[in-house]
């Protein structure tokens, strides 16, 4: 029999959150796989799709890092794959030559619009209740 401690409830809630996250990410991966995307790919496209118009729909890579929960190197590889597939474009920041902007292409915007309902359906199904 497991020993109940004051932290048991907290630990159980944490494990429940991790479990819901893992199951939801797997379901999103499964739903988007036929379209050549995974959950993390979609997150980048989704963030770029709502980038503010005054920024030209672009986002600095360093601003994406904290939002997609990937390391800088993993995000760079993901963006490289998306760029190779023609879904995003990278450009150097004119004000800070070390900075890199990422922008959705028309192809990326179209694919995002196509798969958005699939991702939202998974979220509704997995997170309701």
């Amino acid at each position: 029999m497991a020993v109940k401690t004051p932290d048991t409830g907290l630990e159980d809630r944490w494990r429940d959150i991790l479990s819901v996250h893992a199951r939801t990410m797997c379901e999103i991966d499964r739903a988007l796989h036929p379209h050549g995307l995974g959950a993390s790919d979609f997150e980048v496209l989704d963030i770029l799709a709502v980038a503010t118009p005054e920024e030209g729909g672009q986002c600095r890579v360093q601003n994406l890092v904290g939002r997609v929960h990937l390391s800088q190197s993993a995000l760079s590889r993901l963006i490289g794959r998306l760029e190779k597939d023609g879904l995003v474009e990278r450009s150097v920041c004119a004000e800070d030559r070390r900075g890199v902007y990422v922008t959705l292409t028309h192809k990326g915007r179209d694919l995002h619009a196509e798969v958005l309902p699939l991702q939202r359906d998974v979220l509704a199904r997995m997170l309701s209740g």
Side-chain angles (χ1 to χ4, degrees):
M1 179 174 189
V3 175
K4 296 285 184 184
T5 68
D7 291 334
T8 299
L10 187 61
E11 293 164 359
D12 289 345
R13 287 195 338 239
W14 173 243
R15 288 189 180 101
D16 288 345
I17 290 168
L18 291 176
S19 177
V20 168
H21 176 266
R23 287 193 317 268
T24 303
M25 292 295 280
C26 287
E27 284 298 314
I28 293 170
D29 281 339
R30 197 176 347 257
L32 301 184
H33 180 75
H35 301 274
L37 296 175
S40 295
D41 302 324
F42 177 83
E43 286 303 315
V44 170
L45 297 181
D46 200 41
I47 291 167
L48 293 174
V50 297
T52 57
E54 51 279 358
E55 294 172 343
Q58 62 188 9
C59 186
R60 286 181 70 133
V61 172
Q62 69 187 45
N63 295 341
L64 287 171
V65 171
R67 298 181 69 190
V68 294
H69 309 290
L70 294 173
S71 67
Q72 177 89 33
S73 61
L75 178 61
S76 291
R77 288 190 302 274
L78 186 150
I79 290 170
R81 287 192 311 273
L82 295 175
E83 185 176 38
K84 183 177 167 227
D85 293 341
L87 303 175
V88 301
E89 293 176 339
R90 284 190 264 199
S91 59
V92 175
C93 176
E95 306 85 46
D96 176 4
R97 306 285 300 161
R98 296 169 297 168
V100 176
Y101 282 115
V102 181
T103 310
L104 269 183
T105 63
H106 290 293
K107 181 180 177 182
R109 196 165 293 284
D110 290 346
L111 182 58
H112 175 265
E114 180 182 340
V115 301
L116 179 64
L118 301 174
Q119 190 262 4
R120 296 304 197 257
D121 286 345
V122 170
L123 291 182
R125 189 173 71 252
M126 299 300 291
L127 302 178
S128 65

